[in-house]
Amino acid sequence: MFDVKKAVSEILEKKEIKNVSFTGCGGSLVCFYAPYYYITRESKKLSANYGNANEFSHDTPANVDEHSIVVCASRRGNTKQTVEAAKKAKELGATVIALQLEENTPLEAVADYTIQFKDTGANGALYEESKSAYALAIAYEVVHQTEGNDKTYEEMLAAVKKMNEIVPQAKVDVVPEAVKFSVDYNNDDIIYTMGTGTAWAAAHQETICIFMEMQWINSSDIHCDEFFNGPFEITEKDTAYLLLKSTGKTREVDERALNFLNKFNAHTTVIDGLDYGMKELGEVSEYFDHSFYSEVLDVYNNLLADRRQHPLSWRKYMWKFNY
């Protein structure tokens, strides 16, 4: 396993870090929302950026410089826009950390540090070896090593170990509800995903990477409070919603949306991490909501794809030509 603590310590020995920026594309961007969220909520000294890699290269945040760590991710390590973002970061003097599944990639050739992550469950891989877990580790290590926050840091370390057990068990326990979801939603042409906190990132990922990319279903992610600033007007009795419930401080925000949906809608599925072990993480559970929901939704997505007879591997445009 990659030693994030050691890598962060080495970086801090060489220079002062004032900013941590996270950039990538698609699912490799979304996995960074939780660490970005962590830094903005827990750090009083560090600034943090979160944004698309192509946008990063063309409109780079002014606070990215030699006092920055820029974290990039690309599953295959060859996403052109992400490689270019890493090069831009290096030009500005930033230290670049890359996360990838493959080896010997263009992204690796640019980065100062390269983390080889694993897919949770593949060949016995644990949650702590996943892309999301490593990304979070970078965030809590930088915050801890620059300004302390010992209690939260210890809670994060303990939570990661608990997630090694919670995730695989939850993927078994959700099967009955996932089967029901595949039956109830297989004929829907539009599905809206909802959430708050880092669960919103899981909703966003489900929207763009699964419903739209892999199932060709029209979809949009909706923040549970922004729902009341326009989107709720499209609600009918049979409008399809999937809500990923926060296990942390924004849970009350989700409740407001659910109260409305319970009155005017009869086609809402709620997945609640507190029903599947997330309460064991205590006050830091909200930082793991994206990881948890992304993992358990894998069960839902495979069953939905089977029911719709539409494999998750199908593409019309992606990788088919030069775009």
Side-chain angles (χ1 to χ4, degrees), residues 81-138:
Q81 294 81 5
T82 304
V83 174
E84 290 302 312
K87 290 179 179 178
K88 181 68 175 181
K90 290 282 286 185
E91 290 174 9
L92 294 170
T95 299
V96 174
I97 301 177
L99 287 81
Q100 60 181 27
L101 183 68
E102 308 294 340
E103 296 182 23
N104 302 316
T105 71
L107 182 59
E108 181 179 346
V110 179
D112 296 288
Y113 294 87
T114 301
I115 300 174
Q116 307 289 151
F117 64 81
K118 297 179 181 179
D119 289 331
T120 305
N123 299 316
L126 299 171
Y127 163 77
E128 64 184 303
E129 300 174 281
S130 69
K131 177 171 59 176
S132 296
Y134 277 125
L136 261 177
I138 293 168

Side-chain angles (χ1 to χ4, degrees), residues 34-93:
Y36 162 78
Y37 196 90
Y38 180 89
I39 292 173
T40 59
R41 268 57 179 184
E42 297 291 339
S43 176
K44 296 179 180 179
K45 298 179 180 179
L46 297 167
S47 64
N49 302 318
Y50 168 88
N52 173 271
N54 207 8
E55 188 171 280
F56 180 94
S57 296
H58 285 83
D59 192 11
T60 313
N63 56 1
V64 176
D65 57 21
E66 68 273 16
H67 298 293
S68 297
I69 294 175
V70 175
V71 191
C72 306
S74 170
R75 186 175 179 82
R76 299 180 182 181
N78 64 353
T79 304
K80 181 179 179 181
Q81 294 81 5
T82 304
V83 174
E84 290 302 312
K87 290 179 179 178
K88 181 68 175 181
K90 290 282 286 185
E91 290 174 9
L92 294 170

Side-chain angles (χ1 to χ4, degrees), residues 84-276:
E84 290 302 312
K87 290 179 179 178
K88 181 68 175 181
K90 290 282 286 185
E91 290 174 9
L92 294 170
T95 299
V96 174
I97 301 177
L99 287 81
Q100 60 181 27
L101 183 68
E102 308 294 340
E103 296 182 23
N104 302 316
T105 71
L107 182 59
E108 181 179 346
V110 179
D112 296 288
Y113 294 87
T114 301
I115 300 174
Q116 307 289 151
F117 64 81
K118 297 179 181 179
D119 289 331
T120 305
N123 299 316
L126 299 171
Y127 163 77
E128 64 184 303
E129 300 174 281
S130 69
K131 177 171 59 176
S132 296
Y134 277 125
L136 261 177
I138 293 168
Y140 60 69
E141 282 295 347
V142 174
V143 173
H144 176 65
Q145 292 190 37
T146 56
E147 57 191 279
N149 87 332
D150 292 354
K151 179 177 181 294
T152 302
Y153 176 70
E154 293 299 330
E155 290 174 346
M156 292 295 286
L157 292 177
V160 170
K161 295 300 182 183
K162 290 177 182 177
M163 284 286 283
N164 288 336
E165 300 175 0
I166 291 171
V167 167
Q169 186 59 53
K171 293 177 83 166
V172 173
D173 294 343
V174 300
V175 168
E177 288 301 314
V179 170
K180 184 177 185 301
F181 178 85
S182 71
V183 173
D184 293 347
Y185 286 71
N186 82 96
N187 291 319
D188 285 303
D189 296 322
I190 301 176
I191 303 175
Y192 297 102
T193 55
M194 300 178 67
T196 58
T198 73
W200 172 86
H204 178 63
Q205 182 170 315
E206 182 72 3
T207 290
I208 67 169
C209 296
I210 304 300
F211 292 148
M212 298 178 79
E213 176 188 334
M214 299 185 188
Q215 288 297 286
W216 305 348
I217 297 171
N218 288 308
S219 185
S220 178
D221 54 270
I222 306 172
H223 185 279
C224 287
D225 196 72
E226 288 301 305
F227 182 59
F228 296 101
N229 295 286
F232 72 149
E233 285 293 340
I234 54 90
T235 302
E236 302 291 346
K237 208 74 174 173
D238 59 350
T239 306
Y241 288 105
L242 170 62
L243 193 150
L244 309 176
K245 201 167 186 180
S246 169
T247 65
K249 301 180 186 70
T250 61
R251 192 173 175 86
E252 185 177 328
V253 182
D254 298 340
E255 291 286 0
R256 181 187 176 206
L258 278 173
N259 288 338
F260 176 88
L261 291 170
N262 287 336
K263 293 178 182 178
F264 300 103
N265 179 262
H267 194 23
T268 297
T269 290
V270 179
I271 308 177
D272 187 348
L274 294 186
D275 293 335
Y276 299 102

